[in-house]
Amino acid sequence: REGVIIQDEHGNKLGQSTVAARKAISTVTFSRICIAAPGMLLTPVLMEYLEKKNFYEGSWKSKELWRSDVTSWGIFLSLRFPLGVLLFPQRQSISVSSLEDDLKRSIRERDPSIRTVYYNKRTVNSDI
């Protein structure tokens, strides 16, 4: 059980934490749901709306392209993914007091003024 690498504000490695890894996994799971859910929920609504407005009338190519739920979902994804990345940044912070006792002790011995440390939520090591 390795966890994620914990760093100070300057990027210096302070240790590894399984507590931060658990937090990272839950944050990534929530952010992925938030990124995917609007497309899954809005695609059927959009398709129904377009059918009612006779949007599919015209050439067979436009019908085939726009009738594809995958196409509309892809459009939603291309618009939502950058927004999701902005809302859920990769570098996360955690209070030193929330960490494991041995890591907390090690950080306080190194620099007692450190209250907040950082980790990269997308680099969880091992199986937690």
Side-chain angles (χ1 to χ4, degrees):
R1 295 188 172 212
E2 297 175 21
V4 293
I5 296 173
I6 299 296
Q7 303 172 337
D8 64 12
E9 61 187 6
H10 304 293
N12 301 318
K13 182 179 175 181
L14 300 172
Q16 289 185 295
S17 172
T18 57
V19 171
R22 286 187 188 98
K23 184 178 174 187
I25 290 169
S26 63
T27 304
V28 168
T29 302
F30 180 70
S31 68
R32 299 248 170 108
I33 290 169
C34 289
I35 289 170
M40 292 180 176
L41 299 173
L42 295 176
T43 297
V45 173
L46 176 65
M47 293 292 109
E48 184 70 26
Y49 174 79
L50 293 176
E51 278 190 25
K52 285 181 182 177
K53 295 293 183 182
N54 293 324
F55 183 78
Y56 301 125
E57 300 300 319
S59 73
W60 67 272
K61 289 181 181 179
S62 66
K63 287 181 193 177
E64 295 304 317
L65 176 67
W66 287 104
R67 280 208 172 169
S68 170
D69 290 349
V70 175
T71 301
S72 61
W73 198 85
I75 291 169
F76 278 122
L77 183 61
S78 67
L79 298 174
R80 289 174 292 121
F81 188 74
L83 181 61
V85 171
L86 288 173
L87 293 175
F88 302 100
Q90 188 168 341
R91 187 172 182 198
Q92 297 287 311
S93 63
I94 189 169
S95 170
V96 172
S97 62
S98 301
L99 299 172
E100 297 90 337
D101 290 336
D102 58 333
L103 182 57
K104 200 184 314 184
R105 196 174 320 108
S106 168
I107 292 171
R108 288 189 176 141
E109 286 173 3
R110 183 176 179 161
D111 185 351
S113 67
I114 297 176
R115 299 282 180 247
T116 304
V117 291
Y118 303 90
Y119 63 93
N120 184 333
K121 73 177 184 181
R122 300 225 169 94
T123 56
V124 177
N125 300 323
S126 188
D127 58 333
I128 306 303

